[in-house]
Amino acid sequence: MNQIRALHGLADVRYSFLYDTSVQESALIQAANGYLTHHPEPNLECYTEAGDEASGTSNLSGFTINGRGRDQDPVQEMIGWANDARNLSLVAAAGHRRWILNPFATYMSYGQVYGYAAQKAFGFGREPSILPAIEVDYVAFPYETYPFTLMSDDPPWSFSVVEDKINFWNNRHPYFDSATVSVTRVSDGTSLTVGNLYTDTRAFGVPNFLSWNVAGWEFDTLYQVEINNVAMQSGGTRSFSYQVYIDRAGLR
């Protein structure tokens, strides 16, 4: 998780052993009942209150073969949550990714039972409060030189503004109601087709979010991303610009 966060200039999170058992109990609930739920009912197999709480504050996933759970490398879970191309609720909202790339995150815990996994993303009230060192003005995915493994399923690209670096909730604002997005191939100035623009202010990670799909992007190719007409809370509009190179050949 910290390696993925570092690609975006985000601070490391710490592992919370205080919640280690509860995420394992959450994963056990998912595995024992054969499906994922953030809100398990008390009548489910292997239900516990701690597992219930962890289920509601965690990224969840289930890796099965022919309907049966199979252990999976936790690295692949982190990649899958960051990629988020198979999000069952809404791919465009990329809710799992937003927790992995939340600049305000300070802790995480992880559990897995027979391929069902839980990664606690928030609600660490028993841990000491930490004010994270946030140095970024935005979180973009993909961003700069980016590993191809995180983009292999052609997930939506995304962007969130971090205008207030102290208060999480002060970033809940409709920044993108009138925003436009362009993606241009740097080598020849060709504009790629951008579609499926989606925006919300839901509190999955930073509570503002813009996502889009890019048609025809290629590995090992430099692109310029421009996001214009972003309505800032401080007044006026702002444009954001950054480059993306999805590295498969390892040349950068």
Side-chain angles (χ1 to χ4, degrees):
M1 181 169 173
N2 284 335
Q3 284 184 290
I4 293 171
R5 289 173 62 84
L7 296 169
H8 303 264
L10 302 178
D12 285 355
V13 295
R14 304 180 184 187
Y15 193 88
S16 173
F17 290 95
L18 292 179
Y19 293 87
D20 198 52
T21 299
S22 64
V23 288
Q24 194 69 14
E25 292 180 7
S26 170
L28 178 59
I29 293 172
Q30 320 301 320
N33 294 280
Y35 63 91
L36 302 177
T37 174
H38 288 291
H39 306 288
E41 297 291 337
N43 62 344
L44 291 184
E45 295 289 336
C46 300
Y47 176 89
T48 64
E49 290 186 0
D52 184 352
E53 188 280 333
S55 297
T57 55
S58 296
N59 283 331
L60 303 177
S61 70
F63 178 68
T64 62
I65 298 176
N66 297 325
R68 299 186 64 183
R70 290 291 186 273
D71 290 341
Q72 175 152 291
D73 184 347
V75 170
Q76 296 303 318
E77 302 282 7
M78 295 298 163
I79 290 172
W81 283 318
N83 178 297
D84 224 6
R86 300 179 183 179
N87 190 322
L88 295 179
S89 57
L90 181 60
V91 172
H96 303 107
R97 176 192 305 169
R98 291 157 71 171
W99 288 121
I100 297 290
L101 300 182
N102 178 15
F104 294 88
T106 51
Y107 295 100
M108 66 88 71
S109 297
Y110 175 88
Q112 184 185 129
V113 176
Y114 291 123
Y116 288 85
Q119 178 254 319
K120 188 171 175 65
F122 63 96
F124 292 93
R126 288 186 284 147
E127 290 283 8
S129 179
I130 298 174
L131 183 64
I134 299 176
E135 300 179 353
V136 300
D137 294 326
Y138 59 85
V139 179
F141 176 101
Y143 183 60
E144 298 185 342
T145 301
Y146 213 68
F148 78 94
T149 53
L150 291 167
M151 290 293 294
S152 57
D153 292 324
D154 193 19
W157 300 29
S158 63
F159 186 89
S160 293
V161 173
V162 188
E163 191 169 9
D164 191 314
K165 297 175 175 55
I166 303 298
N167 189 317
F168 170 91
W169 290 108
N170 284 350
N171 294 289
R172 178 171 250 176
H173 179 72
Y175 289 97
F176 309 115
D177 280 359
S178 300
T180 61
V181 179
S182 66
V183 178
T184 305
R185 190 163 56 221
V186 171
S187 61
D188 59 7
T190 297
S191 294
L192 277 66
T193 299
V194 172
N196 300 326
L197 263 68
Y198 168 89
T199 183
D200 71 45
T201 54
R202 301 165 74 181
F204 301 147
V206 179
N208 69 78
F209 189 71
L210 173 68
S211 73
W212 62 94
N213 290 102
V214 181
W217 66 265
E218 298 176 311
F219 295 119
D220 306 314
T221 303
L222 185 63
Y223 297 102
Q224 188 77 31
V225 179
E226 301 276 349
I227 303 174
N228 297 312
N229 206 35
V230 178
M232 305 299 291
Q233 295 188 65
S234 53
T237 60
R238 180 177 171 183
S239 295
F240 294 86
S241 178
Y242 56 94
Q243 292 189 329
V244 170
Y245 182 94
I246 301 168
D247 186 14
R248 183 161 192 168
L251 300 177
R252 286 171 66 93

